[in-house]
Amino acid sequence: MKMAPTGKGKLKIEIKKIEKQKARMVTFSKRRQGLFKKAQEYANITGSQIAVLVFSPAGNPYVHGSPSFDAVIDKFLSVNGGASSSGQVGAHHNEADVCRTPTPFHLVLQNHHNEANVCRGFLMALEDKIKRCRSAEDLSAVKAELEEVRVKVLERLKHIEEDEFVTSLLNC
């Protein structure tokens, strides 16, 4: 005796903006993770390099890349830096892949790249400073500097969260 299926299986859902902000944010988070997972699978099975940049409804950027977002963007910017006056990046690209310079997207990528380099420089300088410490007093001074940075980061985070809250109220 065969049993009738109890579930609905895969149903097509209507694609439309989710009106409730909390549900929209949850969906964004879950779908973003799924998108990044699919992008990674694509890179794994094709041997390609990928970079995915997604902005949340609140305007926060999220990135994923294989081998890394920065490596792929560095490669893209170096290839794009050699664009001809027609805007074509290279002979291996078809018309749909032609990049024009500069576009807002390129500027976002360059800004991300620059911010990442600033952070890397800060961390490298911090590591160097820690290596040069020869006493507990030296390390205490570095700790005090880090506490100042921590306070600034928390203040900035508070401002960003307040801005996101205001933006979410305006978008409702």
Side-chain angles (χ1 to χ4, degrees), residues 31-45:
R31 293 234 174 166
R32 173 179 47 89
Q33 293 169 3
L35 173 66
F36 288 170
K37 184 178 178 180
K38 287 291 185 185
Q40 187 62 49
E41 288 173 7
Y42 178 82
N44 291 342
I45 65 173

Side-chain angles (χ1 to χ4, degrees), residues 144-161:
E145 288 179 42
L146 284 173
E147 284 299 320
E148 290 177 24
V149 170
R150 180 182 171 275
V151 168
K152 289 178 183 178
V153 167
L154 290 175
E155 287 174 2
R156 180 69 182 132
L157 180 61
K158 182 179 175 186
H159 290 296
I160 288 172
E161 287 173 345

Side-chain angles (χ1 to χ4, degrees), residues 79-80 82-90 93 97-101 106:
V79 169
N80 191 48
S84 68
S85 60
S86 68
Q88 189 164 353
V89 177
H93 295 277
D97 293 328
V98 172
C99 295
R100 310 248 180 250
T101 326
H106 290 103

